[in-house]
Amino acid sequence: MRLLRRNSAPRNDNMVSPIAKLVGNMSLRRFWLGLVFVMAVFLFTFKILQVPPGVETDEGVIAHNAALISKTGRDQNGRFLPVFILSSDQLDWKQPVLIYLTAIYFKIFGTSLLVFKLVNVSLVLVSLGLMWILLKELFGDSGAVWEQ
């Protein structure tokens, strides 16, 4: 006598979900990861130049110093490739990672507000990937992606 679990229906291999047909040979887990990544790109780039309107003071200081460093190698205070960048009001210091990464993007793609905002989007997407890797290492596959 075969024991069946409660609420389990016999399996019918002829019934295939529409998502499984769409995915084909690709694993369902990779499909969902790709979908999450595409949605993240869309959500972080939708109306990127309109929302929020304008540029905040800190963003302006970072973009200005990144543009100067990409062109001359000096910040707004005239220091050559400083480790920390002094803000325009000379009351606080800016972290160099975002400024130097933005300077690299400005050197490659040119100086514009769109390029400046895409630097932050690329950092968010890299952080999303690193978070998934961390969750996978800590909790295995079922922790990084919900169980199917």
Side-chain angles (χ1 to χ4, degrees):
M1 183 170 146
R2 196 173 90 176
L3 296 175
L4 292 175
R5 288 188 298 176
R6 194 185 303 172
N7 296 332
S8 66
R11 185 174 173 175
N12 186 355
D13 289 334
N14 293 333
M15 296 177 62
V16 178
S17 71
I19 293 177
K21 286 180 185 177
L22 176 71
V23 173
N25 291 333
M26 182 174 47
S27 75
L28 199 55
R29 205 169 265 174
R30 285 188 180 173
F31 170 76
W32 286 115
L33 284 174
L35 185 65
V36 166
F37 185 78
V38 167
M39 287 298 295
V41 169
F42 173 75
L43 290 174
F44 282 111
T45 57
F46 182 70
K47 292 189 175 185
I48 193 169
L49 294 177
Q50 288 87 20
V51 178
V55 179
E56 295 294 324
T57 306
D58 287 339
E59 290 177 321
V61 169
I62 290 170
H64 177 67
N65 279 308
L68 289 174
I69 288 173
S70 71
K71 290 181 182 163
T72 64
R74 297 186 180 277
D75 68 350
Q76 66 187 7
N77 298 316
R79 297 181 329 147
F80 182 72
L81 299 176
V83 176
F84 291 98
I85 289 96
L86 187 60
S87 68
S88 57
D89 59 5
Q90 298 191 357
L91 294 177
D92 66 343
W93 297 86
K94 303 295 179 197
Q95 295 295 322
V97 174
L98 182 60
I99 294 174
Y100 283 113
L101 187 61
T102 305
I104 291 169
Y105 271 61
F106 282 170
K107 197 71 158 168
I108 295 170
F109 301 112
T111 305
S112 73
L113 181 59
L114 178 64
V115 172
F116 174 67
K117 291 195 175 198
L118 286 177
V119 172
N120 292 319
V121 170
S122 64
L123 285 174
V124 166
L125 295 175
V126 167
S127 298
L128 180 69
L130 291 175
M131 185 66 68
W132 179 78
I133 291 170
L134 177 67
L135 287 173
K136 187 176 177 182
E137 287 294 318
L138 290 176
F139 302 111
D141 283 339
S142 64
V145 179
W146 64 89
E147 194 64 33
Q148 294 294 327

